[in-house]
Amino acid sequence: MSRRLALLALTAGLTVAALATSALAGPSATSSVGVEIQSQDLTGVAPNGTPATIQVKAVVAGENASSLAGELRLFRAGGAHGYGTMTGSLVGSIVTLSGVLTQSNIGLAGTPIKLEANSSSGAITVTLGPRSSGPFVGTTTVFEGFGSVKIKTS
């Protein structure tokens, strides 16, 4: 924390520890929030046992940190892709979103998807499944890696 910010906090009657703690808590429950999550290389193991890498992009917003809604797009090498709507929340630096793929060019429409991203570390986890159809129906794949997690509040 800068010396000027600490001085302002002290003159306002706040302790430096209280100011630092509130800054780490994330946006207030009443501020509007926008989140953009993007990653190039999240890795996992496909249901057939081979390594798999996906790209993800999610854009969500809400009137407050607990009312996020938006969309997610997944891309895999070879042209496979999926799209879904997501809802979720932001608590501190952790964004948690869930939804269902509504479109997929490889038969995954209807498959649940969950995304958790940390704006402090850039860690991103995508859980795809259990798959709703196809040769691997019922299986789940977890993809992990790092990317960009941007949070905007107003």
Side-chain angles (χ1 to χ4, degrees), residues 21-115:
T21 300
S22 66
L24 293 175
S28 74
T30 58
S31 63
S32 66
V33 178
V35 178
E36 183 176 318
I37 301 164
Q38 191 163 357
S39 174
Q40 294 297 316
D41 295 311
L42 300 180
T43 58
V45 178
N48 65 1
T50 62
T53 302
I54 64 168
Q55 297 175 14
V56 64
K57 182 172 184 176
V59 178
V60 295
E63 290 297 318
N64 57 57
S66 61
S67 66
L68 301 178
E71 62 183 38
L72 169 123
R73 294 187 184 279
L74 295 177
F75 305 93
R76 186 169 174 197
H81 60 272
Y83 166 84
T85 56
M86 306 290 285
T87 60
S89 62
L90 168 65
V91 177
S93 62
I94 307 295
V95 179
T96 304
L97 304 171
S98 60
V100 175
L101 289 178
T102 56
Q103 297 175 15
S104 169
N105 69 340
I106 59 169
L108 295 178
T111 298
I113 188 158
K114 181 178 178 186
L115 183 149

